[in-house]
Amino acid sequence: MNEATKRAFETIDRMKDEIVETIGRVVRVPSVNPKYPGVDSEEVLGGETRANELIAELYRTIGCEVDLWEEESKRANAVGVLKGSGGGKSLIFNGHIDTVPVGRHEDWKWSDPYSGRVEDGKIYGRGSCDMKGPVVAQAMAARALQNLGIRLQGDLILESVVGEEVMDHEAGASATIRRGYKADAAIVSEPSAPEAPLAVVPVSPGLLWMAVTCRGKSSHAATRGETFRAGGAGAKVAVNAIDKGVFIFNCIQKLEQEWGLTKKHPLFKPGHFTLHPGVITGAPHGVSVPFFISEFCTIEYAIWHHPDEDAESVKKEVEDFVRHSAALDEWLRDHPPEIEWKLHWPAFSVDVDHPICTTIGQAHELAAQGTRFEGPAVVQGFYAVCDAVFLSAGGIPSVVYGPGSLLHAHAVDEFLDIDELMVATKAYAAAAIEWCGIA
């Protein structure tokens, strides 16, 4: 460990209370993404800006050139540039300020989803883990360097963007690139776990949102026996679309089981690539009561696909499977399911031997000495998707490394472990010193 890194670690230890208090302050400013499905956008609009105003002020205390701007009204991004002396490589520290909704307030500790309170070594509240805590950690790493008078050679760019929770990258991450904020590499501070806390994450899966709809034929619910019993009149009377939807559901589950055996990646846990049926709706048209044979059934899937597969090939595989499955059913052969593709969030990937992976891995190993996270950094795939893909698409090699777990990120009583937070903050400081160089 060089002297500058050692001093930075000691400084960060002394800043612990300040770091925790700052995260609590930011958590207490609700910043739910106004485009999240089911959200009253007018009620939450402006929260992202208010939270990023706090982040921008933090950037100013570091001595950054601060840019606070809105691509969309009341949705400000915050960027702080810590100018280097020249001659070193530039680095982006990226995170997002928007959060998912909180659900019922009474389900949370203290009946307050935005408490920012500390208990048993954890900071609680929506966004503490995903990902206001990690955003503040990156800024505080830069602040520790400034407090010590350590000037970097390369530029360090701090980013807190909007929109990530709904892939609204044009308003957030991609907007920073259009505005000219580019670097030789980026570290995205999304929570790295599961599987391992504070892992180096150079790859994510792709995500597709699919809706598959089966159509039926309505009649009085009392005719159900005619629709599927031996000797009944069958489709001449009615066809329950929900029955047909369940048939397709069971078929797609067979495909999911096949994926668990055939789609493998060295950085992902076996069985990670799945077809998740997240929403099912079915009813007669315009009459949501059980006294009719249902006319439609729609199942909406989140499909997590292998990062080496392009979206079109995955779509074709699923569509072909649904078509072949429908051919096994008398009604569906002539009335095939309708498939709608609603969203594709691409995968990102950087070589595990890329210098940015090596840099943050070595920084973690230094920062974790003497803690329960001690040892070489684990290299693994990301559980979900994030803005690293859009930074990568903009020509910025990107890696994920951050405190917290996605198992807690969208859950009631979301929290961030403070010991893990402190290791991450030190690792960011060490990575900046190594990557950007010291003037």
Side-chain angles (χ1 to χ4, degrees):
M1 187 185 304
N2 61 48
E3 185 62 25
T5 300
K6 181 180 179 181
R7 290 169 59 214
F9 287 2
E10 292 169 350
T11 299
I12 289 168
D13 280 334
R14 290 193 295 270
M15 295 168 60
K16 180 177 178 179
D17 289 346
E18 180 185 6
I19 294 169
V20 171
E21 189 278 331
T22 302
I23 292 170
R25 256 193 316 127
V26 181
V27 167
R28 284 189 283 274
V29 179
S31 56
V32 174
N33 190 303
K35 296 183 181 179
Y36 208 86
V39 164
D40 182 342
S41 60
E42 289 303 314
E43 181 181 334
V44 302
L45 191 63
E48 292 162 308
T49 291
R50 288 188 291 274
N52 261 343
E53 286 171 346
L54 291 181
I55 297 297
E57 185 55 35
L58 175 57
Y59 292 166
R60 290 188 186 97
T61 67
I62 299 168
C64 293
E65 298 174 4
V66 175
D67 188 5
L68 187 69
W69 84 99
E70 298 177 347
E71 293 286 321
E72 298 177 4
S73 178
K74 300 181 181 180
R75 305 188 68 207
N77 296 297
V79 173
V81 180
L82 197 58
K83 293 293 292 183
S85 64
K89 292 180 291 186
S90 54
L91 180 63
I92 289 173
F93 282 165
N94 169 275
H96 66 84
I97 202 67
D98 60 314
T99 74
V100 297
V102 300
R104 300 184 304 181
H105 285 222
E106 60 268 26
D107 291 339
W108 289 72
K109 277 180 173 289
W110 312 289
S111 297
D112 185 359
Y114 302 109
S115 72
R117 289 175 63 172
V118 175
E119 183 179 82
D120 296 330
K122 302 177 179 68
I123 309 169
Y124 283 89
R126 178 61 84 223
S128 56
C129 165
D130 185 20
M131 58 178 300
K132 296 176 178 182
V135 167
V136 171
Q138 290 183 321
M140 287 300 191
R143 185 167 179 170
L145 301 183
Q146 287 300 96
N147 288 349
L148 289 167
I150 295 174
R151 189 178 185 192
L152 302 174
Q153 291 179 314
D155 292 349
L156 182 61
I157 303 170
L158 307 172
E159 298 181 350
S160 178
V161 302
V162 305
E164 190 273 350
E165 291 293 356
V166 296
M167 204 184 79
D168 192 14
H169 63 99
E170 293 295 345
S174 293
T176 66
I177 296 172
R178 291 196 305 271
R179 206 163 173 90
Y181 296 111
K182 296 186 177 182
D184 294 307
I187 299 173
V188 178
S189 56
E190 287 277 2
S192 301
E195 295 294 311
L198 295 173
V200 174
V201 181
V203 61
S204 72
L207 172 64
L208 286 159
W209 180 1
M210 175 189 76
V212 56
T213 299
C214 294
R215 304 292 178 185
K217 180 179 176 181
S218 190
S219 182
H220 196 288
T223 67
R224 174 166 174 75
E226 294 286 340
T227 66
F228 72 100
R229 299 291 185 196
K236 292 179 181 178
V237 174
V239 174
N240 188 353
I242 291 177
D243 287 338
K244 302 308 174 184
V246 169
F247 175 83
I248 293 298
F249 170 93
N250 287 327
C251 290
I252 292 178
Q253 197 168 63
K254 298 293 186 185
L255 177 61
E256 182 180 48
Q257 292 168 354
E258 181 182 313
W259 278 21
L261 297 173
T262 61
K263 295 186 184 292
K264 300 176 182 179
H265 190 286
L267 297 184
F268 287 93
K269 184 179 179 180
H272 185 76
F273 308 112
T274 56
L275 300 98
H276 165 63
V279 177
I280 300 178
T281 54
H285 287 302
V287 189
S288 293
V289 297
F291 309 126
F292 295 74
I293 301 294
S294 290
E295 292 178 282
F296 77 94
C297 179
T298 298
I299 310 174
E300 303 197 41
Y301 283 85
I303 300 175
W304 301 95
H305 71 79
H306 195 288
D308 294 341
E309 294 181 321
D310 66 90
E312 293 309 311
S313 67
V314 177
K315 289 179 183 179
K316 184 177 186 304
E317 179 183 4
V318 174
E319 288 174 351
D320 287 348
F321 190 89
V322 170
R323 185 176 67 254
H324 292 315
S325 298
L328 302 174
D329 180 89
E330 182 182 13
W331 172 261
L332 292 175
R333 276 197 295 272
D334 296 325
H335 305 83
E338 303 159 12
I339 293 179
E340 178 186 4
W341 296 102
K342 295 187 171 186
L343 174 148
H344 178 232
W345 195 317
F348 87 94
S349 181
V350 64
D351 194 282
V352 294
D353 295 323
H354 191 283
I356 191 58
C357 292
T358 305
T359 296
I360 190 60
Q362 292 173 343
H364 167 82
E365 192 164 352
L366 291 174
Q369 289 177 7
T371 75
R372 70 179 189 271
F373 308 102
E374 188 168 19
V378 174
V379 180
Q380 66 180 35
F382 194 51
Y383 235 60
V385 287
C386 68
D387 276 339
V389 64
F390 305 112
L391 297 175
S392 297
I396 305 165
S398 302
V399 64
V400 170
Y401 173 88
S405 171
L406 291 178
L407 295 178
H408 309 132
H410 289 193
V412 168
D413 291 334
E414 178 181 345
F415 69 84
L416 182 62
D417 181 277
I418 293 173
D419 289 342
E420 193 174 339
L421 163 72
M422 296 304 293
V423 172
T425 306
K426 293 177 181 178
Y428 297 138
I433 289 170
E434 174 63 26
W435 184 266
C436 301
I438 300 176

